[in-house]
Amino acid sequence: MTKVITKHFEFLNHAFELAENARGRTSPNPFVGALIIKNGKIVGKGFTKPAGGNHAEIQALKESGKNSENATMYVTLEPCAHYGKTPPCTEAIIKSKIDKVVIGAKDPNSLVNGKGISKLKSAGIEVICDVMPKKFRKQNEAYITYITKKRPFIILKSAISLDGKMAKKNGNSKWISCEKSRKIVHKIRNEIDAILSTVNTVNSDNPQFTVRYNLKNPKHPIRIILDTNLNINPDSHIVHSAKNIRTIIATNKNPDSKKLEFLESKKVEIWRIRQMDNYLNLTEILEKCYQNEIAQIMIEAGPTLISQFLKEKLVDKILLFMAPKIFGGSDKFLWIKSSESENDFSKIRLKDVSYKKSGDDIMIEGYPIYGDKR
């Protein structure tokens, strides 16, 4: 029995490795890996294709062909049992005469959530489920948040000095981190759906928010810029490249008509959002993202937006690159903007924290817990 259980973990881990081939290419769907084993040997394997393409199970079944009969399928996520952009995977598994299905985790999507398991069992297939649920939740953390919270998974990325500054005394914030750290950021950009920033960041730094560093088959993220009064520099990289890369500007409900006309002529998409005091309603922006199937966002902005997201408890993951530099000066460029009356930040703790050397920098990754829970 112990040998059997060990084999389950071994083959499922292989399936998880297969799934990584699809990271960043299946949103808003999860990326899944599948493996078909017969007489101790791999006869089929697959991973999720982009939305509308074959699921991992179908890829594996196509490769295995007639060898599927009386074989065991290992799949990282419960097979779907409903019609979406593709037919149900459960039907294909049943037709293939697979003998047993070992599943890493149950699918939290209400369209599936146990239905796939039930259909397989009803067809006489042995099912072993939730063998490695934590591993799936970690691997597909964006999908889990998107499905359960009905909003995108939010990564807060920042590069800071040892004294917590995002910029030097003169306001220059370009390339605080080393080249290796920047390469890591571009790799993440290649995997997410969108970057969220502000007009202040665009106008001061003129960023491109694209994927570079010679990554294979780069996928540029959508750029979402918060600009209440449409004050974005018309000569910025963001505006000039909007015809080639989907670019969204979130602004107030009644924007300046001339500015609006100009931006739309440059193929910029405009979202009209309710204004709350001095900022745009973040919840409404995230609702729009959800409706547009934007499942994972990375914030690349200054302390005002960072602080607002933290204050509203909307950050799911923090990625901090700390450079071995001291900038000094005033507290103006601290990466979190606070005041004595706002003590919400003192209650935030990080869980599952990891530290890694990145060139000369230290990369800190963790998941915020809001409140007194630890």
Side-chain angles (χ1 to χ4, degrees):
M1 186 65 180
T2 304
K3 280 188 177 180
V4 173
I5 293 171
T6 301
K7 282 294 180 185
H8 287 341
F9 283 110
E10 180 185 327
F11 290 134
L12 268 180
N13 276 321
H14 192 156
F16 276 105
E17 289 171 11
L18 282 169
E20 285 297 321
N21 290 291
R23 182 179 284 275
R25 297 298 183 269
T26 65
S27 187
N29 298 330
F31 54 101
V32 176
L35 202 64
I36 297 175
I37 305 294
K38 190 169 186 177
N39 299 325
K41 293 182 179 180
I42 298 171
V43 294
K45 55 188 177 182
F47 53 85
T48 314
K49 297 301 178 183
N54 287 332
H55 289 188
E57 301 93 320
I58 306 303
Q59 289 292 112
L61 288 169
K62 281 188 172 183
E63 188 174 298
S64 63
K66 291 181 180 178
N67 284 322
S68 302
E69 189 170 348
N70 299 322
T72 299
M73 174 180 280
Y74 291 85
V75 61
T76 58
L77 180 67
E78 176 183 2
C80 63
H82 65 287
Y83 281 89
K85 293 179 180 177
T86 59
C89 290
T90 49
E91 286 187 6
I93 294 169
I94 292 165
K95 285 179 183 178
S96 73
K97 298 182 180 178
I98 284 276
D99 198 38
K100 181 192 293 185
V101 178
V102 181
I103 301 168
K106 187 184 286 188
D107 193 334
N109 189 336
S110 59
L111 292 172
V112 187
N113 200 8
K115 297 181 179 71
I117 294 167
S118 180
K119 280 202 171 186
L120 293 174
K121 285 183 175 179
S122 295
I125 296 172
E126 182 184 351
V127 178
I128 301 172
C129 188
D130 272 344
V131 178
M132 302 174 75
K134 287 184 180 179
K135 186 157 186 170
F136 179 81
R137 284 198 293 269
K138 171 67 175 174
Q139 187 178 55
N140 272 273
E141 56 193 9
Y143 169 72
I144 299 292
T145 296
Y146 182 77
I147 287 296
T148 59
K149 296 187 177 181
K150 309 295 183 188
R151 66 161 176 81
F153 181 83
I154 305 296
I155 302 170
L156 167 55
K157 187 278 296 183
S158 191
I160 63 171
S161 63
L162 286 175
D163 52 340
K165 305 292 176 59
M166 298 183 74
K168 296 177 181 178
K169 296 177 186 179
N170 61 4
N172 184 3
S173 61
K174 194 172 184 180
W175 293 345
I176 292 174
S177 55
C178 68
E179 186 175 18
K180 186 172 182 180
S181 296
R182 296 197 294 275
K183 285 182 179 179
I184 291 172
V185 171
H186 280 259
K187 182 178 180 295
I188 296 170
R189 285 182 181 178
N190 191 42
E191 297 169 355
I192 60 170
D193 297 328
I195 289 173
L196 181 66
S197 193
T198 66
V199 65
N200 289 340
T201 296
V202 172
N203 288 350
S204 60
D205 297 343
N206 196 20
Q208 297 180 55
F209 291 146
T210 54
V211 176
R212 300 186 295 282
Y213 285 102
N214 298 317
L215 282 167
K216 189 177 179 180
N217 300 320
K219 176 181 70 72
H220 300 304
I222 299 165
R223 287 89 57 92
I224 304 173
I225 310 300
L226 308 191
D227 184 3
T228 306
N229 298 307
L230 295 185
N231 288 329
I232 192 168
N233 183 344
D235 293 321
S236 64
H237 288 308
I238 296 292
V239 172
H240 278 289
S241 58
K243 62 181 180 295
N244 299 316
I245 302 170
R246 188 180 177 190
T247 302
I248 299 163
I249 290 183
T251 189
N252 69 73
K253 289 283 188 179
N254 299 294
D256 181 281
S257 58
K258 287 186 178 179
K259 291 179 179 178
L260 183 67
E261 186 179 347
F262 168 78
L263 290 169
E264 289 182 332
S265 74
K266 295 295 182 180
K267 307 302 180 185
V268 174
E269 188 176 334
I270 304 294
W271 286 358
R272 303 186 188 205
I273 305 294
R274 284 182 299 125
Q275 194 170 343
M276 307 286 288
D277 297 325
N278 296 318
Y279 63 90
L280 297 172
N281 187 301
L282 298 184
T283 300
E284 188 174 329
I285 292 168
L286 296 186
E287 284 173 357
K288 287 277 287 184
C289 289
Y290 178 79
Q291 292 161 10
N292 279 262
E293 296 190 334
I294 297 171
Q296 188 169 197
I297 291 173
M298 183 157 67
I299 298 172
E300 297 198 41
T304 301
L305 187 63
I306 286 174
S307 301
Q308 195 59 47
F309 264 90
L310 286 170
K311 187 178 178 183
E312 295 191 28
K313 303 177 182 179
L314 292 171
V315 175
D316 299 296
K317 184 177 184 176
I318 291 177
L319 184 60
L320 202 61
F321 293 91
M322 183 172 284
K325 304 170 183 177
I326 296 176
F327 288 166
S330 70
D331 290 344
K332 180 180 178 182
F333 298 113
L334 283 173
W335 74 288
I336 291 180
K337 186 177 182 180
S338 186
S339 68
E340 290 181 8
S341 61
E342 294 176 346
N343 61 1
D344 308 76
F345 304 123
S346 65
K347 296 179 181 178
I348 297 175
R349 299 286 184 273
L350 293 187
K351 67 175 182 178
D352 300 330
V353 183
S354 64
Y355 305 88
K356 185 167 74 174
K357 200 168 186 302
S358 173
D360 291 332
D361 303 337
I362 299 295
M363 186 176 81
I364 304 168
E365 184 180 273
Y367 299 82
I369 300 173
Y370 299 95
D372 296 324
K373 293 181 181 179
R374 300 198 180 192

